[in-house]
Amino acid sequence: MEPIKKIEEGLKELYDSNAGKVERQPDVDIYDVGENLVFYIDMPGVRKDSIKVRVYDKAVEVLASPTQPDGGGKPIRRERISNFPISRRIEVPYRLRVDSAKAVYRDGVLQIVVSKAGEYGVAELKID
C-alpha cells in the first residue's frame, strides 16, 4: 500500500498548492416561470460584495473572488466553494432582456430573475 499512499499525498499536495488557482463552478437550478427565467445558484460562504453577475443576450455569468477566513494555521484540507474563485457561464435557449435582470443573495443562494425576450431557433416562413 505504500505506493498508493505516496500518490494520495502527492495529489493532496498538488491540490493544496493550486487551491487559489483552481476555479469552481457552483450548482445551478433554472426555472422557466412564464415571462421570466429564475436562476438559483448555490454559493455558501461567499461574501455578497465579492459576487459579480453579468447578463448577456443569451447567457448569465457569475463570478466571485475567494474569501479566506483566518484559520490560524496551515490548512490541512480546503474544499468549501468559498475558498476558490468562482466562475460559471450559463447559456440559455432564450434571448434575455438585459435591462430587466435582478439579483438577490440570501442564505448562501444567489437568485437571478431575468425576463425572456423570445426563443432562439429556426423559423420556416411561408412565402406569400
Side-chain angles (χ1 to χ4, degrees):
M1 284 305 240
E2 187 63 33
I4 292 175
K5 184 75 171 164
K6 286 184 180 182
I7 291 171
E8 286 176 349
E9 288 174 2
L11 288 173
K12 182 186 175 310
E13 183 179 321
L14 179 65
Y15 178 80
D16 288 343
S17 66
N18 287 301
K21 302 170 191 155
V22 176
E23 288 184 346
R24 298 281 300 264
Q25 289 195 346
D27 294 331
V28 176
D29 290 339
I30 305 171
Y31 294 91
D32 184 341
V33 290
E35 296 295 316
N36 297 322
L37 293 180
V38 181
F39 299 75
Y40 293 98
I41 305 169
D42 290 339
M43 300 177 72
V46 176
R47 286 191 340 262
K48 181 171 110 174
D49 62 349
S50 75
I51 301 171
K52 288 187 170 89
V53 178
R54 295 183 182 134
V55 179
Y56 299 92
D57 62 341
K58 61 179 181 176
V60 171
E61 182 177 55
V62 176
L63 306 164
S65 302
T67 54
Q68 299 296 328
D70 185 15
K74 180 181 176 188
I76 295 173
R77 174 172 256 164
R78 297 176 40 149
E79 296 180 0
R80 296 177 330 128
I81 197 165
S82 63
N83 290 328
F84 300 89
I86 295 169
S87 177
R88 181 88 192 247
R89 184 177 173 101
I90 307 142
E91 301 282 336
V92 294
Y94 300 98
R95 288 181 292 135
L96 300 174
R97 292 195 48 217
V98 176
D99 59 340
S100 73
K102 293 185 173 115
V104 176
Y105 182 65
R106 190 175 304 127
D107 297 329
V109 178
L110 178 64
Q111 177 185 7
I112 303 168
V113 179
V114 185
S115 297
K116 297 185 288 186
E119 291 188 40
Y120 277 101
V122 177
E124 188 170 321
L125 304 177
K126 179 182 173 191
I127 300 172
D128 293 328

